[in-house]
Amino acid sequence: MSPSAVHRLPTPAERALDLAARERELRREIRWVYARAVLFCLGWLAIALAAIAWAVHSSDEQSAAIAFWGGLLVGNGGILGTLFLTYSRALAEGWV
């Protein structure tokens, strides 16, 4: 049997380096998922504020009411949806 065919167990130092590298990758992935959720929430906030601002500056009362309530609905719904999906993923991955 040749020496290359023999599989050796990793040393504790090699195993520790491997675990540390995996932990860094996992932490980076978790940070990116949460950062993306924050960016999406800020995007929904910007959309909602734009609709509400348009409603405030509108001269037509009916379209202003639609824009105002639509902005509230889209903004809050988008934020809640983003947070729900992020929390569901965190539960599925075992981060929470």
Side-chain angles (χ1 to χ4, degrees), residues 49-61 63-65 67-68:
L49 288 177
I52 292 170
W54 183 72
V56 168
H57 291 291
S58 177
S59 59
D60 180 25
E61 188 175 324
S63 65
F68 178 79

Side-chain angles (χ1 to χ4, degrees), residues 62-81:
Q62 187 176 12
S63 65
I66 292 170
F68 178 79
W69 291 108
L72 287 180
L73 181 68
V74 167
N76 290 328
I79 290 171
L80 287 174

